[in-house]
Amino acid sequence: MKLIDGKAIANQIKAEIAAEVKKLQEQKGRTPHLAAILVGNDPASETYVANKEKSCKEVGMSSSVYKMPADITQEKLLETIEFINKDDEIDGLIVQLPVPKHIDVQKVIESIDPKKDVDGFHPVNVGRMTLGQDCYLPATPFGISMLLERYNIDTQGKNCVVVGRSNIVGTPMSILLSRNNPLANATVTLCHSKTKNLTEVCKSADILIAAIGRCEMITADYVREGATVIDVGMHRVEDKSRKSGFRLKGDVKFDEVSPLCEYITPVPGGVGPMTIVGLIMNTLKAFKGEIYK
Ligand code: GUN
């Protein structure tokens, strides 16, 4: 079993990005800028946004966070997005999800200028991704693709099973892996709550991507010997022995699955750090005007 060290790869890529940012800064006279809108005070979302800010700093990018109360009106939120859309000094804009229930999330996503949509959630970017055109790829699938590439894990002709069909991870991951390019070309199965014989389907996977959002659901029964397992799950489990009061677990029952695997990502330190790299990479692309010329 080989552990996929997402943290190490993330640091390596961040160093490469930092070098490029430094060079571009000299040419352009400013740094790339990421803006994040955070609505409400969900502790996990606050941590994610703080980590995104920290990573921007590490690579020499600037960032700003627009904190809004949980009871903000949709109108006010859309106004703020419009304001940021028009700000030439801001290259990328994300609205941290989830947003409170009274807000129409799709409306929010569609109000972000696709040129600044570094989350890759806008239908224009999703459409371009599906057609294999240049676009901002959603950060988590993008991060996973980079991880597979850096570890030379071949996907061509492999059976890839993605469990979970969210718009943020499962669905875009299945599209990316099935694209016609040397870093994809997989035969992909996308599993969800109505999938029959889920255990057997997962067992057929050369590469199993767990993005279900259910703590430790993937046990040894779901994994064939020699498979590669990518765990996208991130669950806070109470742990009074820790200062934070919790520890993180994934969608995969690591202790029993890992002995079966050729490669596996841990939680934490696997996919999580790479998700931020995907976002930073997209912000750099936005700054360079690489996608929408
Ligand atoms: N919530 C969970 N993952 C993400 C993400 O990738 N982007 C945003 N904006 N919110 C999230």
Side-chain angles (χ1 to χ4, degrees), residues 48 52 94-98 119 121 139-140 168 275:
Y48 294 148
K52 289 170 186 177
I94 63 164
V95 177
Q96 186 64 30
L97 304 180
D119 259 331
F121 294 166
T140 302
I168 296 181
T275 292

Side-chain angles (χ1 to χ4, degrees), residues 4-15 147 150-151 269-270 273-274:
I4 297 180
D5 189 344
K7 202 166 173 200
I9 300 292
N11 286 337
Q12 196 182 324
I13 300 177
K14 279 196 279 191
L147 214 45
R150 298 263 170 159
Y151 269 84
M274 289 303 294

Side-chain angles (χ1 to χ4, degrees), residues 278-290:
L279 177 67
I280 298 286
M281 195 79 115
N282 282 341
T283 307
L284 180 62
K285 284 179 192 227
F287 181 65
K288 293 200 295 193
E290 248 177 22

Side-chain angles (χ1 to χ4, degrees), residues 4-5 46 58 67 96 98 102 104 106 110 126 133 136 139-140 152 178 203 207 226 249-250 261 270 276 282 287 290:
I4 297 180
D5 189 344
E46 283 178 343
E58 282 167 8
K67 287 191 178 161
Q96 186 64 30
H102 68 280
D104 178 347
Q106 207 49 39
E110 288 181 31
V126 178
Q133 298 172 346
Y136 300 115
T140 302
N152 287 317
S178 54
K203 249 195 150 119
I207 300 174
K249 285 192 173 189
C261 297
I276 299 194
N282 282 341
F287 181 65
E290 248 177 22

